[in-house]
Structures are given as structure tokens and as C-alpha cells.
């Protein structure tokens, strides 16, 4: 349409001639559009929202597909509570512990401990994200949803999972208490076993020969800038691909027409999100996060124990004989990670049905069960902290002395 | 109503060559910009990898304060460069004085860095993290540690015990 014609459409004379029921286009081009129309013309926002709400959900899609939305909401919680914590937190060895103590105790009014509540939401939010991510991965694995053309959606998801684990590990040090300090000593020592580059990776992480001021600065920068930025980019691409290729649907196509995402699926999503949020609020209120004594490099009476989702690895390292240390620290975690990234190409079967790809299903189930078993073993064994637990003592291979 | 107009593109061979050349040049310029951004940043952040280390003798405890026989946990302080600050940092060490001289072991378990405990009644060092066990000479007798406890060279001067440490 030429410029003259455009002008013509926008003149009042033509609008007088327009029929009584104005089309959407007409409303957008009227002289005094509403703010919504004005924005719509410039942003096209409603079209974008509409497209997403109308996203077709194949028949049979339901509760298992709510995990992505739950994760997105939990991420919003983490970013929001994280910014609030950063306003009070100070990342230096002299100030970190004191600032977290202040967060735990210093802002109370109307009978509410606001700082502890926000920290509680952040701490349990991170655990909830790990749980929801693992469930999300397990669902996609058994549904075979990573197959053509969704290979890269899966790969991006795996990278998101690694970034989440990185965020957990770096966040763990920030309170600069005994637990934080010693978990970081153990975690960064593992990096040393990587062939050739191990020591360099460890030095890069630590910022010096041992865990200290430089480590805290580095972990803080990773936790609040590098990893969140990576997470936003990866999540953006992941969601773009999810929408581009649409939801894979059940393994065996169900009868029935696809339904739009809104309202049925979004209604299910809303309940799951509400449930997830309720659980982290409940945990934050009933079990508020504590704070150990300030980090002390001389502390020989402190037994480090990692956060529960690293306990599987911690237990694996116990049973690895000394000749095979690197198998526990690098080879097994490395092979599982690589296997996850390459899964869409390792699974050559064309069918998504679990029965049609027994090899990959057996291997994956074995790994999932082993990680679950080792994690449970670590949880049940207890230990860690200031008191040396009996169970840790018993589990030592004393018999072979 | 789309305002986009079809722009006529010069399709002559000379023009195609020019496009190819300019495209390559843009690629090179972008690579240079990339190096300008990431080069200094990587060098800066990777600094600790290239930090030079040196060995120094550190004063730990007076010989007279250390009993003969069983290993003892001793704490000492030394000045270290901890990132951006120079501080007196406290360390602990296991020392044993015998007729043959003084032996000193680092309490860090060579497995993954947890602190070992000395169990005098069993004459051994024990790591509570993954169950590593070391004899009184620091040798691994059980568990996953791949190497013995780190032993420091010691010397006694004017009644003071020193250890040689890399900083």
C-alpha cells in the first residue's frame, strides 16, 4: 500500500464511513487509540501472547507436562529472592558470614523475620529446582521426546541442568560458614583430577592456592552474573525450540484433537506451580536455613558433607579404591554428562516407545536407580558437621587394615 | 501494509567478488573484536594459574612445647597473600617429636582435602569424609586416598621448629 493510501486510512473522513463494527485493524489505526491498542500496534505483544496461549497440546498431554512451567516459576523466585539477598549480602571473608547472619536475624517487623523468609525461599527454591529438573529430564527420557527434530531442545536442557548444578555449588560457599568452606574445599579438589587441565581448572576456580578471599569473589561473580546470564540465554533458546517444535505428546498417540494450551493445560500448570510454591514456603517457615560458625581453615573437627543432591557422588567416592580415584571424580560423572548430551544420537531407534529401545532404557534406568540409591545411602548415613558420626566410622574400610 | 520495497541487488560477478571479500573482512574484524574482548578478560581471570610459587621456612612451635612420642595437632600463623589482602592466616599441622627428629604432616587428606584426625589409641590418622586411613608415617593403609599424607621438611633452629612450605 502506498503512503497516500496509508494516509487515507488514517483520516477521520474514512473512519466516519467505516462500518459500525470496527475491525481490529481499524481500532488500532484510529486517531486516539487506547493505550493497549497503541502498544499493540508497536509491540505486537498480544499476538505473541495469543500464539502461546493457543499452542496446540496433543491429546494425552497433562500433568507430566507441567514441570517446565513449574521450573520457569521457580526460576523467577530464585532471581527475585537472589536480588533481594544481594542487596544485603557482602562478598568478603570478613563480611560474608556477618552479612548472612544479619539476613537471618536483622530484618524483623510485624512478627515476621523477612530476611530468613527470603533466604529460606532461595535455599529451598534451589533444591526444588533440582528436583523438578530431574523429574523433567526423567519424563523426557522415558517419553523419548528428545528425538528428531527435538535433539537440540534436549541438549540445551542438559546444559541448563549443568548451569543449575553450578549455581547450587557456587551459592553454597557464599554464607562463608564451616559447611560452605569445607564443601568447597572438597568440591574444588575434585576438579584437580581432570587430566592435563585439572590443576589449572582448580586454580581458576580458587583464584589462588587455597579457598580464600579470591575464591569467594569468584564464586559470587559466577553465582550472580555469569551463570544467571548463561541460564537466561539457554532458557530463552530452550523455550523458543519448545514452541517451534511443539510438545511431543504421548509415546502412543491418543485419540482426540489437540487442545489449545489455554485454559486446560495452563489450569493444570497453575495447580502444580501453586503446589511447588506452597512446599518451598512451608519448608522455609518450618525449617529455616541455619548458619554454622564462620569458616575456619584450621578446623580439624569439622566433617564436610555436601548438599543432598551431591551425596550420590560423595558416596561413590567412598567406595572407589585408591587406584580408581579418577573414575569416581572424573570418569563416571564425565561419562554420564557426555552420555546425557549425546543421548539423541546414542539412541538410534526411530521409535519413541520405551519397549522399542530397550538398550537405552535399561542403561538410563540403571544410572537413575544407582544415583537414587547412592543419594539415599548418603542421606540415611547422616554424618557431617561438628560431631563425627558413628556410621561414618563404621563405613570406613577398617576391616582391610 | 508493508513498507518494505524490493531493493534491486547488483548481481554482477564483480559485485559478487566484492561481497565475498567484504564478508571475509567483516569476519576478520569481528574476530579481532572478539580477541579484544576476551583476551584481556581471560588473561586477567586466569592469572592465578600463572602465579609463581616459592618455598619458605615457617616458624611453627618451640621444640620444648612439643612432647616426645605421640603426634600432636599444632596451630600456627603465617602471613599469606589471600586474594586482594595480606593476612595472618592460621593453619593446623600434625607434629611428632622423636629421638630421630621432628616429623610434620599436613592434615589435608590427599584424597579430596578433608581434615584427617589423629587417633592416638589406634596410632593412625583417619579421614571421616571417605574413610581414608593412614599410619603414623602418613602411609595409606586403607580407603580411597591415592597418596600418603603430605609431609613437610622440618628444621630446628635455636629451639624453634620450622617447616618448609610453598606459598
Amino acid at each position: 500500500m502506498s503512503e497516500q493510501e496509508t494516509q487515507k486510512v488514517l483520516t477521520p473522513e474514512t473512519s466516519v464511513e467505516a462500518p459500525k463494527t470496527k475491525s481490529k485493524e481499524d481500532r488500532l489505526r484510529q486517531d486516539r487509540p487506547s493505550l493497549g491498542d497503541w502498544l499493540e500496534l508497536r509491540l505486537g505483544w498480544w499476538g505473541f501472547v495469543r500464539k502461546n496461549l493457543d499452542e496446540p497440546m496433543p491429546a494425552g498431554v497433562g500433568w507430566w507436562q507441567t514441570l517446565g512451567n513449574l521450573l520457569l516459576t521457580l526460576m523467577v523466585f530464585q532471581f527475585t529472592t537472589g536480588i533481594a539477598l544481594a542487596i544485603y549480602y557482602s562478598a568478603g571473608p570478613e563480611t560474608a558470614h556477618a552479612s548472612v547472619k544479619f539476613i537471618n536475624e536483622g530484618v524483623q517487623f510485624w512478627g515476621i523475620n523477612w530476611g530468613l523468609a527470603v533466604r529460606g525461599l532461595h535455599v529451598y527454591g534451589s533444591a526444588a529446582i533440582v528436583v523438578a529438573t530431574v523429574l523433567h529430564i526423567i519424563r523426557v527420557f522415558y517419553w523419548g521426546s528428545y528425538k528428531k527434530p527435538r535433539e537440540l531442545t534436549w541438549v540445551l536442557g542438559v546444559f541448563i541442568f549443568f548451569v543449575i548444578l553450578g549455581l547450587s555449588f557456587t551459592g553454597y560457599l557464599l554464607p562463608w560458614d564451616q559447611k560452605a568452606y569445607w564443601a568447597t574445599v572438597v568440591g574444588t579438589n575434585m576438579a584437580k583430577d581432570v587430566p592435563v587441565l585439572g590443576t589449572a581448572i582448580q586454580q581458576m576456580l580458587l583464584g589462588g592456592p587455597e579457598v580464600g578471599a579470591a575464591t569467594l569473589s569468584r564464586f559470587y561473580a559466577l553465582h550472580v552474573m555469569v551463570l544467571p546470564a548463561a541460564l537466561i540465554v539457554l532458557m530463552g533458546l530452550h523455550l523458543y525450540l519448545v514452541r517451534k517444535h511443539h510438545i511431543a505428546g504421548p509415546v502412543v498417540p491418543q485419540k482426540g484433537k489437540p487442545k489449545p494450551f489455554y485454559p486446560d493445560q495452563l489450569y493444570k500448570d497453575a495447580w502444580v506451580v501453586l503446589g511447588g510454591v506452597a512446599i518451598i514456603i512451608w519448608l522455609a517457615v518450618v525449617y529455616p536455613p541455619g548458619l554454622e560458625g564462620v569458616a575456619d581453615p584450621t578446623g580439624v573437627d569439622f566433617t564436610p558433607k555436601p548438599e543432598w543432591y551431591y551425596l550420590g557422588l560423595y558416596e561413590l567416592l567412598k567406595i572407589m579404591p585408591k587406584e580408581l580415584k579418577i573414575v569416581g571424580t572424573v570418569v563416571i560423572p564425565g561419562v554420564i554428562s557426555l552420555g546425557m548430551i549425546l543421548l539423541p544420537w546414542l539412541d538410534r531407534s526411530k521409535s519413541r516407545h520405551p519397549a522399542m529401545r530397550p538398550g537405552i532404557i535399561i542403561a538410563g534406568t540403571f544410572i537413575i536407580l544407582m544415583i537414587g540409591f547412592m543419594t539415599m545411602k548418603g542421606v540415611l548415613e547422616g554424618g557431617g558437621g561438628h560431631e563425627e558420626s558413628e556410621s561414618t566410622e563404621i563405613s570406613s574400610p577398617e576391616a582391610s587394615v | 501494509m508493508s513498507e518494505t520495497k524490493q531493493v534491486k541487488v547488483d548481481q554482477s560477478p564483480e559485485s559478487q567478488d566484492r561481497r565475498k571479500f567484504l564478508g571475509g573482512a567483516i569476519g576478520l574484524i569481528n574476530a579481532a573484536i572478539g580477541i579484544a574482548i576476551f583476551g584481556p578478560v581471560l588473561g586477567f581471570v586466569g592469572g592465578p594459574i600463572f602465579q609463581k610459587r616459592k618455598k619458605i621456612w615457617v616458624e611453627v612451635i618451640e621444640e620444648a612445647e612439643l612432647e616426645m612420642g605421640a603426634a600432636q595437632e599444632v596451630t600456627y600463623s603465617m602471613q599469606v597473600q589471600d586474594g586482594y589482602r595480606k593476612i595472618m592466616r592460621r593453619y593446623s599441622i600434625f607434629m611428632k617429636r622423636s629421638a630421630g627428629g621432628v616429623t610434620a604432616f599436613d592434615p589435608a587428606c590427599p584424597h579430596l582435602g578433608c581434615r584427617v584426625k589423629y587417633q592416638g589409641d589406634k596410632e593412625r590418622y583417619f579421614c571421616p569424609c571417605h574413610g581414608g586411613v593412614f599410619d603414623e608415617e602418613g602411609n595409606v593403609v586403607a580407603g580411597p586416598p591415592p597418596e600418603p599424607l603430605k609431609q613437610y621438611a622440618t628444621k630446628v633452629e635455636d629451639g624453634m621448629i620450622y617447616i618448609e612450605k610453598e606459598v
Side-chain angles (χ1 to χ4, degrees):
Chain A
M1 194 182 282
S2 74
E3 191 127 349
Q4 266 182 338
E5 281 170 311
T6 315
Q7 284 295 325
K8 206 176 165 191
V9 172
L10 291 172
T11 52
E13 287 80 5
T14 47
S15 66
V16 169
E17 291 165 15
K20 271 184 184 173
T21 358
K22 289 180 187 171
S23 74
K24 187 180 158 213
E25 293 280 299
D26 290 337
R27 274 191 287 110
L28 289 175
R29 285 173 186 80
Q30 63 199 352
D31 267 351
R32 294 182 161 209
S34 69
L35 182 63
D37 287 346
W38 190 91
L39 284 171
E40 174 56 20
L41 186 60
R42 281 146 186 90
L43 296 172
W45 172 249
W46 182 239
F48 176 75
V49 174
R50 191 78 245 170
K51 188 169 175 282
N52 278 294
L53 292 178
D54 287 342
E55 170 73 18
M57 298 281 130
V61 162
W63 294 102
W64 275 105
Q65 278 70 20
T66 58
L67 290 162
N69 207 334
L70 173 65
L71 278 165
L72 200 58
T73 312
L74 290 173
M75 296 291 182
V76 173
F77 261 69
Q78 288 310 93
F79 274 88
T80 315
T81 51
I83 290 166
L85 289 169
I87 287 169
Y88 281 92
Y89 179 74
S90 172
E94 287 103 358
T95 54
H97 188 268
S99 66
V100 175
K101 199 166 170 3
F102 184 81
I103 288 169
N104 267 13
E105 299 164 3
V107 188
Q108 301 187 38
F109 55 89
W110 298 339
I112 295 171
N113 186 340
W114 299 90
L116 195 60
V118 170
R119 188 167 165 237
L121 289 177
H122 198 72
V123 167
Y124 292 112
S126 75
I129 284 177
V130 173
V131 173
T133 308
V134 169
L135 289 175
H136 189 61
I137 290 171
I138 288 174
R139 195 267 296 166
V140 175
F141 174 68
Y142 285 107
W143 284 49
S145 317
Y146 49 79
K147 287 179 176 285
K148 190 181 170 185
R150 299 184 180 83
E151 298 96 324
L152 294 180
T153 320
W154 165 268
V155 172
L156 286 165
V158 173
F159 283 121
I160 290 173
F161 180 52
F162 295 159
V163 170
I164 288 169
L165 291 179
L167 279 161
S168 307
F169 182 61
T170 49
Y172 207 61
L173 177 67
L174 303 184
W176 199 246
D177 60 358
Q178 285 283 67
K179 207 166 80 168
Y181 181 88
W182 289 105
T184 307
V185 168
V186 174
T188 49
N189 257 302
M190 284 179 59
K192 215 167 54 180
D193 285 350
V194 175
V196 189
L197 294 173
T199 311
I201 294 172
Q202 190 198 23
Q203 302 272 302
M204 275 280 271
L205 283 169
L206 294 180
E210 53 197 349
V211 177
T215 319
L216 189 54
S217 305
R218 277 168 189 247
F219 274 41
Y220 186 57
L222 283 170
H223 190 76
V224 306
M225 288 188 280
V226 181
L227 295 173
L231 193 62
I232 290 171
V233 171
L234 289 170
M235 273 170 40
L237 291 170
H238 186 74
L239 289 174
Y240 164 75
L241 288 183
V242 167
R243 279 296 182 249
K244 181 176 165 62
H245 298 303
H246 309 292
I247 297 277
V251 175
V252 181
Q254 311 274 304
K255 277 183 187 166
K257 279 183 184 169
K259 282 183 176 172
F261 174 69
Y262 176 86
D264 294 71
Q265 184 62 29
L266 190 56
Y267 183 67
K268 286 194 178 76
D269 282 13
W271 275 110
V272 171
V273 169
L274 185 67
V277 170
I279 289 170
I280 63 168
I281 291 175
W282 177 75
L283 285 168
V285 171
V286 180
Y287 306 102
L291 186 65
E292 299 267 343
V294 68
D296 176 13
T298 63
V300 286
D301 60 340
F302 192 86
T303 306
K305 194 148 192 193
E307 192 64 334
W308 64 265
Y309 34 86
Y310 285 115
L311 279 176
L313 184 56
Y314 183 85
E315 289 296 318
L316 174 71
L317 297 175
K318 266 189 196 170
I319 58 169
M320 277 293 152
K322 60 184 175 188
E323 300 78 16
L324 299 177
K325 184 192 168 201
I326 193 172
V327 176
T329 52
V330 178
V331 177
I332 291 179
V335 166
I336 293 177
S337 304
L338 205 62
M340 284 176 78
I341 295 170
L342 297 178
L343 179 65
W345 297 277
L346 292 174
D347 180 4
R348 314 287 297 175
S349 140
K350 286 218 162 65
S351 169
R352 282 176 52 211
H353 200 290
M356 302 299 283
R357 42 193 183 107
I360 214 85
I361 290 290
I362 290 168
T365 307
F366 175 75
I367 291 168
I368 293 166
L369 288 177
M370 281 316 286
I371 295 173
F373 171 73
M374 297 295 261
T375 307
M376 277 311 288
K377 187 169 176 284
V379 171
L380 295 175
E381 224 165 54
H386 280 287
E387 283 169 324
E388 191 181 314
S389 77
E390 275 302 303
S391 54
T392 315
E393 177 79 20
I394 291 163
S395 72
S396 76
E398 206 166 4
S400 59
V401 176
Chain B
M1 86 215 68
S2 169
E3 301 291 330
T4 41
K5 288 176 186 168
Q6 279 288 321
V7 180
K8 281 194 176 168
V9 179
D10 184 357
Q11 301 282 4
S12 64
E14 298 81 32
S15 163
Q16 289 303 310
D17 286 350
R18 193 167 170 274
R19 277 171 69 90
K20 229 180 232 173
F21 172 78
L22 292 182
I26 291 167
L28 283 176
I29 290 167
N30 281 341
I33 292 169
I35 291 167
I37 298 168
F38 290 107
V41 168
L42 285 178
F44 184 39
V45 176
I49 300 169
F50 304 97
Q51 231 165 34
K52 284 207 172 78
R53 315 279 298 270
K54 58 178 180 184
K55 282 187 171 176
I56 56 164
W57 287 97
V58 183
E59 201 178 286
V60 178
I61 190 173
E62 286 200 33
E63 198 180 14
E65 283 182 54
L66 205 61
E67 286 170 26
M68 287 288 267
Q72 253 177 275
E73 188 199 334
V74 175
T75 54
Y76 63 97
S77 298
M78 65 180 284
Q79 195 177 53
V80 291
Q81 185 69 42
D82 177 32
Y84 47 84
R85 57 186 195 151
K86 207 166 222 150
I87 53 161
M88 289 299 285
R89 186 165 178 163
R90 274 163 21 103
Y91 292 94
S92 60
I93 190 169
F94 287 108
M95 293 199 125
K96 188 179 168 186
R97 192 174 152 217
S98 60
V102 178
T103 49
F105 291 112
D106 195 297
C109 178
H111 183 223
L112 287 171
C114 296
R115 288 298 181 258
V116 299
K117 299 164 201 298
Y118 179 67
Q119 297 175 324
D121 52 335
K122 293 173 184 163
E123 295 180 341
R124 67 175 199 176
Y125 295 94
F126 172 70
C127 178
C129 277
H130 301 101
V133 182
F134 307 85
D135 66 16
E136 292 220 303
E137 275 66 54
N139 300 311
V140 186
V141 284
E147 51 198 76
L149 287 176
K150 183 181 175 182
Q151 188 170 2
Y152 292 105
T154 59
K155 70 174 182 183
V156 183
E157 268 179 23
D158 302 328
M160 179 62 76
I161 303 171
Y162 292 81
I163 58 165
E164 194 181 30
K165 219 177 158 178
E166 202 177 51
V167 289

